[in-house]
Amino acid sequence: MSTLIVIVYPTEAKAEEVRQTLLGLQKEYVIKLGDAVIATKTEAGKVKLNQLMNTTATGAVSGSFWGLLIGILFLNPLIGVAVGTASGALGGALTDVGINDAFMKDLSASIVPGNAALFLLIQEMTEDKVLKQIQGFGGIVLKTSLDETKEQVLRDALKRHSAEAGSAPSA
């Protein structure tokens, strides 16, 4: 079962720094992420999602490959590539992998413009090692699917850093 954690940071740069730290931990097999998305809110109130994977581009590349292969079989590779790219891009745009985009936009509507919410879908993790690495960044837990005890441990570790730094982002 996957775990959802949403942490608010004062800037998009700080959220990106935490995401890169977690991606580094993933290479060390300390955590396995299903998705890691940064949501920001503009002064106009529009929510922007910074996702790791662009499904439209991935679909277009995959579609062009399969279109080329089918086009070669039917002796018209250019049409095969064009049709494959278009259908792959359409399929990729309609695919929602990981955390639901509508959910992220709805939840991010509550953050203060300029702040960033880091949405993490965690499949597996060594909790003590991950917490040790991210507690130095601070942040405020907005939502989790952790049990109450584990959620409180996370909140306390992040709060400790925020109190030391003297500034906590508004959620």
Side-chain angles (χ1 to χ4, degrees), residues 4 11 13-14 21 30 61 65 70 131 140 155:
L4 174 71
T11 64
K14 181 62 79 175
T21 299
V30 175
V61 170
F65 169 75
I70 292 169
L131 188 58
I140 295 176
R155 286 181 187 277

Side-chain angles (χ1 to χ4, degrees), residues 135 141 151-161:
Q135 70 183 3
V141 177
E151 182 176 336
Q152 193 57 48
V153 169
L154 175 62
R155 286 181 187 277
D156 291 344
L158 296 177
K159 190 182 293 182
R160 224 174 299 127
H161 177 268

Side-chain angles (χ1 to χ4, degrees), residues 17 52 63 85 97 109 116 129:
E17 192 177 347
L52 283 175
T85 301
V97 178
K129 290 182 179 182

Side-chain angles (χ1 to χ4, degrees), residues 136-158:
F137 293 102
I140 295 176
V141 177
L142 185 60
K143 186 170 187 68
T144 75
S145 62
L146 295 169
D147 65 48
E148 290 179 11
T149 306
K150 290 179 182 178
E151 182 176 336
Q152 193 57 48
V153 169
L154 175 62
R155 286 181 187 277
D156 291 344
L158 296 177

Side-chain angles (χ1 to χ4, degrees), residues 12 15-16 19-20 23 33-40 47-58 92-105 108 117-121:
E12 184 175 6
E16 183 61 42
R19 180 165 68 173
Q20 291 307 315
L23 291 174
L33 295 170
D35 203 0
V37 180
I38 297 172
T40 56
V47 175
K48 181 185 83 163
L49 300 178
N50 177 350
Q51 302 196 12
L52 283 175
M53 183 172 36
N54 184 341
T55 55
T56 303
T58 304
L94 297 175
T95 302
D96 188 12
V97 178
I99 306 168
N100 183 288
D101 289 357
F103 168 76
M104 288 187 287
K105 287 183 178 185
S108 298
L118 177 60
F119 288 79
L120 300 168
L121 187 60

